[in-house]
Amino acid sequence: MSVTSDKLLEVAYDHYKEVFKALAANLTIRIRLIILILVILLLMVYQGTDPENAQKLLGGWIAGLTGNKELVVDVLPFFISLLLWFGLSSLAVQTFQKSLVIERQAIYLRGLEGWLDTLLGEERIAQIRYQRPKFFSHANLLYFGGFLLLVGGVGLWKLSVEVFRLTRD
């Protein structure tokens, strides 16, 4: 059984579209993960600057979830810090995993575009492809370097606040 060049081109182009959709979906997930990390970093800063109010706020939120407004929930500050650290580390690992997947898919997509161009005999796919803005090459530096510095900076600040509290008590 032989495959015609038209059928091969059709299958290859369908695969190209599927890979492109998967890449776009992974980019969306990575952006959402980064937004969640920024929210957790803001919560860490809030909890570090005003721990008593953060404790009352979380206790009131838990009481509101139970539906019992008279319930007084005493939440330990260590518990709040632990939740924030676990959430931050989990989301950071997921973000870096998505970034690696995106890089690998982008390399595969470029190779697939080259193969489709050779099947077509001209550079149609590379011309159709979304043209990346000039700042996009610098975005990887922000996702890896800048993001890591931000998380590390807030993490070190939070760690120093906790050590200061432990030595003070």
Side-chain angles (χ1 to χ4, degrees), residues 44-144:
M44 288 179 93
V45 168
Y46 178 67
Q47 197 259 340
T49 55
D50 192 7
E52 290 83 19
N53 198 17
Q55 186 177 356
K56 290 176 188 175
L57 187 68
L58 184 63
W61 182 68
I62 292 173
L65 286 177
T66 61
N68 188 355
K69 299 293 183 188
E70 289 83 30
L71 182 66
V72 176
V73 179
D74 189 24
V75 180
L76 296 173
F78 177 74
F79 179 69
I80 297 171
S81 295
L82 191 68
L83 287 178
L84 290 174
W85 279 107
F86 278 128
L88 180 65
S89 62
S90 170
L91 291 173
V93 167
Q94 289 179 40
T95 302
F96 286 117
Q97 286 175 341
K98 280 294 174 193
S99 295
L100 290 175
V101 167
I102 288 168
E103 287 297 318
R104 289 180 181 162
Q105 283 179 333
I107 292 169
Y108 178 72
L109 195 63
R110 281 187 227 115
L112 192 57
E113 287 171 351
W115 184 57
L116 281 169
D117 285 341
T118 57
L119 285 176
L120 287 171
E122 54 189 271
E123 288 192 17
R124 284 190 180 172
I125 301 298
Q127 291 173 357
I128 295 172
R129 180 179 52 170
Y130 171 73
Q131 298 298 320
R132 294 162 69 162
K134 291 184 180 184
F135 71 89
F136 196 74
S137 60
H138 302 295
N140 284 338
L141 284 173
L142 290 176
Y143 278 123
F144 288 106

Side-chain angles (χ1 to χ4, degrees), residues 134-161:
K134 291 184 180 184
F135 71 89
F136 196 74
S137 60
H138 302 295
N140 284 338
L141 284 173
L142 290 176
Y143 278 123
F144 288 106
F147 189 66
L148 189 61
L149 284 174
L150 177 66
V151 171
V154 171
L156 286 174
W157 172 78
K158 181 74 171 132
L159 188 63
S160 67
V161 166

